């Protein structure tokens, strides 16, 4: 909505295997003229060529408009007028760009030693930096960092990674990671800060190492002058100012947006109240100005920003908040450590946060010393712009996880299948349309009350623990790993900025909350992702026993890294895959029958394939093929090509092996595409040749469509592709735009996700078949 002059762009660009040897040969032009930019290879092919290159550039973009950039391998990027310079010294790292200079200390705390604009200090060393107040009132200030490293360096953007510990609390297990970024020319500093609990989550018999604290924030000394005028949300004051965002839990609320409240005050004087603040405040003094903004401020309540006695405090967890929040029907004395709010540190306690072990919640904020308007800074932080290639480019390079085609591909000689494909694509678009009443955005606005385990409560879509997740009636938080992949596919295929925004929010939640980061958890669950469900949804887990699952999804996080270069997404993906290796080793020791669980094998194969695509390391593909050879083929020998027996109980989810086979088809096709393994293709061919009994699983033809399409593509058999079209025409819903979100429906998230996945193999196979046979893609007929 707001123009950017210029917009800071960081975007991943895909390349086909073997096409690009080095990223430094790339250049970007606007209107036929090369513009300043930097490129680096951040995802390789297995032959060492560049799979994804990360581009950083600065582009002016007018309000409600787009610009077209052209990337070539001709080199010749001009230098920016004021490029970023990095000095990595023994005591500090200095970042400068002609407009602002930042000193990051290596041997003392404070996060910033100083920030200077035009040679004059604006942020000094008098602030405490990062600090937290424990539940017993002790204040712990982060000491000298354990690591200060230049993570990325170039004339357009540089990033410094800082890691450290809060001493004297939680046995040194409360730590932080901060990434400090500077761009060319702009007097602006961006910080992405994670608060990390390296204690155990406490699954099975492991320890419950959650941390209780009352507040956490960042404090900086201001050098703007004796009198500082502060304003936000239409309220103004001098020298003393506080903006607080909370959410009052109103049992009568009709929308998930009800109950929000922000208060602006100066000392004891209340200046203004409202519902939702964007968390942008402006400070002006005799020596300069500063605009401060926290990304997705009200969505991650509770939050506060405070100016007092020439100190700026960003309260990422203010003292007015608490977590877990009170729940109707909370029970004490049940004998379970998470249920007993009087005997353990995990029950609700007023104005105390119980920070689970193994999570690292991130917040992003910006300090801007320019004349840029608050609206533009808010837009730049909350809705960063991405340069997206065409859907055909993403599909043709084959560089992204998943088998997909550009939007608009249709099949040959099947009018009904093409009508259904058009409906399927409208469903994809409606999922990320803020104005559609069945979109994910609409789901976030809904409200419902449901009895969940021992608790009865309203849905939670917002709050620092929940934002980015999906909350479903009767189930609670369910996890968004599959959904983030779907969102990024739609962003690539349709150039959909809303899909990019939703996918990023979901991926961030997976990294921060669902990923188990602690090395103190038991080896068999260490590094996995938590499993959502309907027993303890507000803790984002089903049980403390066996809650993480073998076979997490990884494609969403991988695409987030490929498209944005976010290092924490790469770190989470690698950790999750390594955790799966350990989990399978433990399973071999304890449960030989469990080794042939089809869902576990298919999910893990999918993760290992994704890690191969993410790293270019052959060992991950070998691990995927080993699971196929050792376990999938054993199932084939025992049960036939559909990998399940005919005797099943309809409706019993844990016994739905026919459904597990159908959902595994895409993974097996992906494994074959990456490996070319003849045994995988043989199993797929046998599955297509044998009639499938769909009497228990009525949606089976939707997945068989993908099976027949891929087999037809690989064998050149047009009749298999045509059968795939008939299956899709038969099974996809009879609607011009099937709904995604259904109010008060406990299954919408799973049903919609499966339907949105279902058409990709059909489109991909017909599109590739047409290209390989030199036929033009069929038109709508």
């Amino acid at each position: 909505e707001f123009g950017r002059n210029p917009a800071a762009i960081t975007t991943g660009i895909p390349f086909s295997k073997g096409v690009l040897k080095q990223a430094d040969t790339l250049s970007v032009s606007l209107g036929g003229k090369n513009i300043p930019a930097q490129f680096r290879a951040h995802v390789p092919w297995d032959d060492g060529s560049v799979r994804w290159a990360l581009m950083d550039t600065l582009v002016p973009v007018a309000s409600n408009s787009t610009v077209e950039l052209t990337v070539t391998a001709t080199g010749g990027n001009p230098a920016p007028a004021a490029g970023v310079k990095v000095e990595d010294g023994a005591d500090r790292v200095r970042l400068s760009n002609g407009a602002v200079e930042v000193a990051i200390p290596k041997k003392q705390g404070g996060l910033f030693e100083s920030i200077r604009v035009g040679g004059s200090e604006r942020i000094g060393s008098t602030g405490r930096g990062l600090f937290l107040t424990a539940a017993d009132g002790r204040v712990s200030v982060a000491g000298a960092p354990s690591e200060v490293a230049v993570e990325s360096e170039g004339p357009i953007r540089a990033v410094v990674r800082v890691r450290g510990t809060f001493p004297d609390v939680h046995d040194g297990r409360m730590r932080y990671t901060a990434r400090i970024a500077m761009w060319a020319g702009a007097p602006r500093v961006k910080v992405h800060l994670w608060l990390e609990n390296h204690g155990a989550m406490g699954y099975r018999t492991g320890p419950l190492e959650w941390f209780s604290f009352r507040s956490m924030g960042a404090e900086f000394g201001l050098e703007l002058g004796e009198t500082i005028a502060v304003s936000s949300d239409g309220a103004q004051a001098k020298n003393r100012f506080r903006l607080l965002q909370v959410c009052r839990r109103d049992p009568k609320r009709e929308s998930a947006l009800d109950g929000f409240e922000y208060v602006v005050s100066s000392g004891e004087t209340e200046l203004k109240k409202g519902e939702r603040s964007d968390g942008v405040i402006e400070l002006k003094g005799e020596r300069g100005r500063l605009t401060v903004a926290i990304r997705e401020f009200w969505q991650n309540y509770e939050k506060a920003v405070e100016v007092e006695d020439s100190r700026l405090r960003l309260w990422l967890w203010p003292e007015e908040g608490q977590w877990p929040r009170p729940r109707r029907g909370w029970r004490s004395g049940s004998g379970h450590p998470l249920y007993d709010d009087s005997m353990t540190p995990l029950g609700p306690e007023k104005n105390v946060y119980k920070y689970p072990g193994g999570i690292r919640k991130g917040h992003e904020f910006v300090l801007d010393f320019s004349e840029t308007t608050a609206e533009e800074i808010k837009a730049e932080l909350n809705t960063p712009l991405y340069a997206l290639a065409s859907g055909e480019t993403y599909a043709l390079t084959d560089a992204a996880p998943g088998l997909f085609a550009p939007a608009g591909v249709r099949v040959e000689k099947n009018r009904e299948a093409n009508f259904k494909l058009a409906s399927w694509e409208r469903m994809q678009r409606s999922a990320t349309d803020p104005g559609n009443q069945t979109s994910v955005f609409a789901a976030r606005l809904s409200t419902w009350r449901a009895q969940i385990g021992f608790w009865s409560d309203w849905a939670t879509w917002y709050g620092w623990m929940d934002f980015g997740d999906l909350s479903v009636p009767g189930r609670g938080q369910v996890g968004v790993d599959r959904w983030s992949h779907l969102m990024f596919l739609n962003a690539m295929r349709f150039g959909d900025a809303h899909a990019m925004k939703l996918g990023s929010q979901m991926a961030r939640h997976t990294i921060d909350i669902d990923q188990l980061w602690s090395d103190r958890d038991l080896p068999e669950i260490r590094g996995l992702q938590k499993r959502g469900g309907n027993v303890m949804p507000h803790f984002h887990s089903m049980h403390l026993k066996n809650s993480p699952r073998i076979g997490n999804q990884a494609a969403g996080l991988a695409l987030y890294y490929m498209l944005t270069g976010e290092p924490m997404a790469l770190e989470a993906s690698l950790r999750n895959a390594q955790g799966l290796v350990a989990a399978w080793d433990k399973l071999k020791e304890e449960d030989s029958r469990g080794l042939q669980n089809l869902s576990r094998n298919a999910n893990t194969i999918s993760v290992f394939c994704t890690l191969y695509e993410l790293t270019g390391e052959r060992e991950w593909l070998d691990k995927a093929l080993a699971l196929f050879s050792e376990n999938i083929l054993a199932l084939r020998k025992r049960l036939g090509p559909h990998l399940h027996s005919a005797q099943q109980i309809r409706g019993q989810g844990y016994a739905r092996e026919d459904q597990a086979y159908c959902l595994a088809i895409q993974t097996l096709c992906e494994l074959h595409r990456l490996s070319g393994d003849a045994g995988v293709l043989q199993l797929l061919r046998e599955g297509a040749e044998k009639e499938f009994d769909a009497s228990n699983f009525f949606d089976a033809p939707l997945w068989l469509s993908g099976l027949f399409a891929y087999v037809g593509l690989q064998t050149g058999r047009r009749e298999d592709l045509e059968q795939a079209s008939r299956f899709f025409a038969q099974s996809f819903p009879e609607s011009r735009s099937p709904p995604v979100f259904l109010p008060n429906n406990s299954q919408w998230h799973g049903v919609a996700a499966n339907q949105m996945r279902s058409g990709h193999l059909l489109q991909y196979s017909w599109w590739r078949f047409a290209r390989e046979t030199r036929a033009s893609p069929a038109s709508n007929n």
Side-chain angles (χ1 to χ4, degrees):
E1 296 179 5
F2 294 96
R4 321 286 169 87
N5 190 27
I9 304 293
T10 297
T11 292
I13 303 172
F15 293 90
S16 298
K17 186 175 181 178
V19 167
L20 184 68
K21 301 301 182 183
Q22 292 181 305
D24 58 10
T25 62
L26 296 172
S27 63
V28 59
S29 62
L30 173 63
K33 182 179 180 180
N34 280 10
I35 60 175
Q38 68 187 50
F39 294 87
R40 68 175 177 88
H42 73 299
V43 180
W45 287 96
D46 57 7
D47 65 353
S49 61
V50 179
R51 186 171 190 141
W52 288 81
L54 196 66
M55 177 182 72
D56 289 298
T57 190
L58 298 166
V59 183
V61 182
S63 299
N64 297 310
S65 67
T66 61
V67 297
E68 184 173 303
L69 301 175
T70 302
V71 176
T72 61
T74 58
N77 286 306
V84 180
K85 297 180 180 179
V86 180
E87 297 178 24
D88 191 356
D91 295 329
R92 63 190 57 82
V93 174
R94 291 189 186 275
L95 302 177
S96 62
N97 64 3
V100 62
E101 180 182 291
V102 178
I104 303 165
K106 290 185 174 182
K107 297 181 179 180
Q108 64 187 55
L111 201 60
F112 297 119
E113 184 176 73
S114 68
I115 300 180
R116 295 177 176 271
V117 179
S120 177
E121 195 168 61
R122 296 289 187 266
I123 298 290
S125 59
T126 56
R128 290 177 291 178
L130 306 180
F131 68 95
L132 58 80
T133 303
D136 60 8
R138 288 180 296 156
V139 177
S140 179
V141 178
S146 57
E147 177 193 52
V148 178
V150 178
E151 190 172 75
S152 176
E153 182 177 358
I156 301 296
R157 182 177 68 114
V159 180
V160 176
R161 182 180 67 247
V162 182
R163 283 186 163 136
T165 301
F166 294 90
D168 305 322
V169 295
H170 203 40
D171 295 325
R173 296 177 193 135
M174 291 306 296
R175 306 174 195 170
Y176 69 90
T177 295
R179 285 189 166 91
I180 302 169
M182 177 185 288
W183 289 79
R188 178 183 303 166
V189 180
K190 185 182 290 185
V191 179
H192 199 163
L193 173 69
W194 289 267
L195 178 64
E196 306 173 355
N197 183 355
H198 286 254
M201 175 67 187
Y203 288 105
R204 293 191 179 179
T205 58
L208 292 167
E209 294 175 339
W210 294 31
F211 176 65
S212 298
F213 66 104
R214 296 193 177 276
S215 62
M216 185 271 165
E219 181 183 86
F220 307 113
L222 294 173
E223 300 292 342
L224 299 179
E226 297 299 321
T227 301
I228 302 176
V230 192
S231 63
S232 178
D233 298 282
Q236 299 180 0
K238 291 183 178 180
N239 292 341
R240 301 190 70 186
F241 188 96
R242 196 167 199 267
L243 165 65
L244 170 68
Q245 176 74 63
V246 298
C247 183
R248 312 294 182 189
R249 300 184 65 78
D250 182 359
K252 297 181 181 180
R253 63 183 180 175
E254 297 181 358
S255 167
L257 295 183
D258 294 342
F260 281 92
E261 179 184 84
Y262 73 81
V263 179
V264 181
S265 59
S266 178
E268 301 299 321
T269 303
E270 183 179 293
L271 302 177
K272 187 176 181 181
K273 275 187 175 180
E275 292 184 351
R276 295 179 299 280
S277 171
D278 290 317
V280 182
I281 70 169
E282 296 178 276
L283 298 82
K284 297 179 182 179
E286 300 93 341
R287 299 176 196 161
R289 61 181 294 162
L290 166 64
T291 302
V292 182
I294 298 177
R295 183 171 180 169
E296 292 159 343
F297 184 77
W298 66 265
Q299 294 93 330
N300 282 281
Y301 72 90
E302 289 83 8
K303 290 288 173 287
V305 180
E306 180 179 36
V307 176
E308 182 181 25
D309 299 329
S310 294
R311 300 286 191 278
L312 169 66
R313 299 188 186 100
L314 307 181
W315 293 100
L316 304 180
W317 284 269
E319 59 187 7
E320 291 86 351
Q322 71 180 70
W323 192 89
R325 300 180 179 93
R327 306 272 166 172
R328 283 176 56 91
W330 190 291
R331 292 187 179 184
S332 297
S334 67
H336 193 291
L338 274 184
Y339 301 165
D340 194 337
D341 58 357
S342 63
M343 300 299 292
T344 76
L346 304 189
E349 184 178 344
K350 188 175 181 180
N351 300 131
V352 172
Y353 301 95
K354 313 298 178 67
Y355 207 65
I359 73 168
R360 50 173 66 174
K361 174 64 180 183
H363 293 94
E364 197 169 355
F365 61 89
V366 66
L367 306 173
D368 187 283
F369 301 90
S370 72
E371 299 290 328
T372 305
T373 65
E375 289 79 7
E376 184 174 336
I377 292 171
K378 179 182 70 176
E380 184 78 2
L381 185 62
N382 291 301
T383 55
L385 301 184
Y386 300 96
L388 293 171
S390 68
E392 187 171 31
T393 297
Y394 290 115
L396 276 174
T397 58
D398 223 16
L403 304 178
F404 62 94
V409 170
R410 298 294 181 259
V411 306
E412 294 181 8
K413 301 178 182 179
N414 193 317
R415 183 183 297 272
E416 185 179 3
N418 284 328
F419 171 82
K420 295 290 184 73
L421 278 173
S423 300
W424 175 73
E425 290 196 333
R426 279 189 289 270
M427 181 185 187
Q428 304 280 354
R429 292 178 179 272
S430 72
T432 55
D433 178 2
N436 190 288
Q437 294 305 303
T438 73
S439 69
V440 177
F441 288 102
R444 285 185 170 176
L445 299 181
S446 71
T447 185
W448 46 265
R449 182 189 289 279
Q451 187 70 33
I452 304 174
F454 289 123
W455 296 275
S456 177
D457 202 6
W458 291 98
T460 301
W461 296 98
Y462 298 102
W464 63 270
M465 177 61 81
D466 300 301
F467 184 58
D469 208 349
L470 290 178
S471 185
V472 175
R475 299 180 64 85
Q477 277 64 31
V478 296
V480 287
D481 38 19
R482 285 187 302 169
W483 278 90
S484 60
H485 186 221
L486 289 170
M487 296 299 99
F488 291 132
L489 285 180
N490 283 346
M492 293 189 299
R493 295 177 70 243
F494 302 121
D496 187 343
H498 292 301
M500 194 72 199
K501 181 177 182 178
L502 279 172
S504 298
Q505 291 170 350
M506 292 172 174
R508 285 183 173 219
H509 178 89
T510 301
I511 293 167
D512 293 354
I513 305 300
D514 291 339
Q515 177 65 46
L516 287 176
W517 289 100
S518 176
D519 288 335
R520 293 180 59 81
D521 276 312
L522 297 177
E524 58 267 32
I525 58 93
R526 188 180 301 162
L528 301 184
Q529 293 169 10
K530 287 182 283 188
R531 181 181 181 187
N534 62 352
V535 178
M536 292 181 290
H538 44 286
F539 292 117
H540 292 267
S541 71
M542 288 190 67
H543 297 282
L544 281 190
K545 184 176 182 180
N546 299 330
S547 185
R549 53 189 173 189
I550 288 182
N552 303 160
Q553 301 295 315
L557 285 187
L559 259 179
Y560 185 48
Y561 176 69
M562 292 170 174
L563 288 165
T564 70
E566 170 53 58
M568 204 66 85
L570 175 62
E571 194 175 335
S573 299
L574 290 169
R575 181 174 180 84
N576 186 238
Q578 291 159 356
L580 285 171
V581 173
W584 275 96
D585 289 342
K586 189 68 174 178
L587 190 64
K588 291 176 182 178
E589 295 177 9
E590 296 182 348
D591 183 11
S592 59
R593 292 188 62 186
L595 293 176
Q596 293 184 17
N597 178 284
L598 179 55
S599 292
R600 286 176 180 171
N601 279 278
N603 287 338
T604 307
I605 287 171
S606 176
V607 172
F608 289 167
C609 285
T610 297
L611 262 291
Y612 170 62
E613 296 172 288
L614 189 61
T615 66
E617 296 172 0
R618 175 72 195 196
E619 65 174 292
W620 292 111
L621 185 57
D622 291 341
K623 290 180 186 298
L625 287 170
L627 286 178
F628 175 81
S629 299
E630 295 167 9
N631 300 331
I632 300 294
L633 290 185
L635 280 172
R636 159 67 183 88
K637 184 176 181 180
R638 182 161 58 89
L639 299 172
H642 295 150
L643 309 179
H644 66 272
S645 61
Q647 290 76 34
Q648 295 189 95
I649 304 173
R650 184 182 301 173
Q652 296 295 321
Y654 57 84
R656 297 302 300 271
E657 294 166 347
D658 51 357
Q659 184 172 350
Y661 169 75
C662 289
L663 296 178
I665 288 170
Q666 286 193 356
T667 295
L668 294 173
C669 293
E670 179 84 357
L671 178 62
H672 177 261
R673 178 184 70 91
L674 294 175
S675 66
D677 186 86
V680 179
L681 181 59
Q682 180 62 27
L683 178 64
L684 291 169
R685 291 185 63 175
E686 291 174 355
E689 291 166 358
K690 183 177 180 180
E691 184 176 357
F692 187 94
D693 181 3
S695 58
N696 277 343
F697 183 37
F698 303 134
D699 288 335
L702 198 60
W703 302 101
L704 297 176
S705 169
L707 172 67
F708 274 80
Y710 187 79
V711 169
L713 170 65
Q714 296 302 320
T715 61
R717 286 170 50 91
R718 182 181 293 272
E719 53 266 41
D720 284 338
L721 285 157
E722 292 172 349
Q723 178 60 51
S725 302
R726 289 192 289 271
F727 273 136
F728 192 81
Q730 167 192 338
S731 54
F732 194 76
E734 296 286 344
S735 171
R736 292 193 74 254
S737 181
V740 177
F741 161 66
L742 294 173
N744 299 316
N745 185 306
S746 65
Q747 303 298 321
W748 73 265
H749 69 292
V751 172
N754 285 337
Q755 288 175 347
M756 290 170 66
R757 292 172 63 203
S758 65
H760 283 299
L761 273 177
L762 180 65
Q763 273 196 334
Y764 170 84
S765 299
W766 271 109
W767 176 63
R768 288 286 185 180
F769 183 80
R771 291 182 64 85
E772 291 174 9
T773 57
R774 299 188 180 277
S776 27
S779 59
N780 299 337
N781 47 35

